[in-house]
Amino acid sequence: EDKVVQSPLSLVVHEGDTVTLNCSYEVTNFRSLLWYKQEKKAPTFLFMLTSSGIEKKSGRLSSILDKKELFSILNITATQTGDSAVYLCAVSGFGNEKLTFGTGTRLTIIP
Amino acid sequence: SAVISQKPSRDICQRGTSLTIQCQVDSQVTMMFWYRQQPGQSLTLIATANQGSEATYESGFVIDKFPISRPNLTFSTLTVSNMSPEDSSIYLCSAAPQGPDTEAFFGQGTRLTVV
């Protein structure tokens, strides 16, 4: 059975700090790993990673995948209060489009 | 990015009744997915809705409780039947409109409260 473990479960930092969120996984026939941001109800897509060592970047957010060690990190630099949210990591395998989600990391940015 | 319209946005229902949630995608997709997110928990897949065949349910979820329709390639419904307070959750539909090797998008979610 596919499994995703995220750490830490929650994180409180001050505005301007840099944070690193972790995601480790076990999946049969790995296809992709995805990061989402959930502020209210609907998760919004951040990154999809399929290859090891290639950093994906969008503004202050970046993410990288290590397929040998089966983990990914999501970095957020110069955090802002608008970054406060639950960050979800999910994986999918070939032959199965469904996503398996981790429990999420609740990030709180203090002004 | 794709647009997935989900409704209702929220509802408060009496126990023992049923609620049908609708999800419309702005392009044709092979598979649509229904998730449940209980308070303080992550997303759990209920079932995969395939057009032209019966939905595939995950362990712990049954068709009698969560019947799903998929009449065409852009639309699906999930019914939560004979509700109890334990069914109070956020329900989300999802699809990957560009194909299995692309990102999945989510509807706006339905916050269901059963009293």
Side-chain angles (χ1 to χ4, degrees):
Chain A
E1 187 175 321
D2 299 346
K3 185 177 177 183
V4 178
V5 178
Q6 292 186 246
S7 64
L9 292 181
S10 67
L11 189 57
V12 180
V13 300
H14 288 94
E15 201 167 21
D17 288 350
T18 293
V19 298
T20 298
L21 310 183
N22 304 295
C23 176
S24 63
Y25 64 89
E26 296 173 21
V27 62
T28 303
N29 294 324
F30 175 86
R31 180 202 294 271
S32 61
L33 183 145
L34 297 93
W35 284 97
Y36 289 87
K37 178 182 182 182
Q38 187 179 31
E39 293 177 88
K40 292 184 179 177
K41 290 186 296 182
T44 54
F45 171 77
L46 295 175
F47 298 111
M48 185 173 76
L49 303 159
T50 58
S51 301
S52 277
I54 299 175
E55 184 182 53
K56 294 269 181 108
K57 199 169 172 67
S58 176
R60 296 177 294 103
L61 279 66
S62 64
S63 183
I64 198 163
L65 173 69
D66 185 329
K67 290 169 72 174
K68 182 179 177 184
E69 300 297 329
L70 306 183
F71 80 89
S72 174
I73 60 171
L74 175 68
N75 280 320
I76 308 176
T77 61
T79 52
Q80 302 171 358
T81 55
D83 296 326
S84 294
V86 174
Y87 290 83
L88 297 165
C89 175
V91 294
S92 71
F94 280 101
N96 193 346
E97 285 188 44
K98 69 178 184 180
L99 294 176
T100 300
F101 282 85
T103 51
T105 293
R106 181 174 295 277
L107 177 64
T108 303
I109 310 297
I110 300 172
Chain B
S1 61
V3 174
I4 303 180
S5 301
Q6 183 176 341
K7 60 181 181 181
S9 174
R10 59 176 61 225
D11 207 341
I12 300 173
C13 300
Q14 296 289 325
R15 68 176 69 200
T17 62
S18 297
L19 175 72
T20 295
I21 302 167
Q22 299 180 7
C23 199
Q24 177 79 49
V25 188
D26 67 353
S27 59
Q28 294 184 342
V29 293
T30 304
M31 295 184 185
M32 293 178 70
F33 303 89
W34 288 97
Y35 292 87
R36 180 176 74 180
Q37 187 175 32
Q38 295 179 301
Q41 305 292 315
S42 190
L43 279 71
T44 300
L45 183 66
I46 297 171
T48 302
N50 307 298
Q51 198 273 331
S53 63
E54 283 201 6
T56 304
Y57 288 83
E58 297 298 305
S59 176
F61 297 96
V62 295
I63 187 171
D64 289 347
K65 176 67 176 176
F66 297 101
I68 286 172
S69 79
R70 185 79 201 276
N72 57 53
L73 290 173
T74 64
F75 187 79
S76 179
T77 67
L78 170 77
T79 299
V80 186
S81 302
N82 188 24
M83 289 183 285
S84 66
E86 292 71 35
D87 294 319
S88 298
S89 291
I90 295 172
Y91 292 85
L92 291 151
C93 65
S94 173
Q98 304 303 319
D101 291 319
T102 63
E103 59 268 30
F105 294 96
F106 285 84
Q108 299 94 326
T110 298
R111 187 183 298 276
L112 170 62
T113 302
V114 183
V115 297

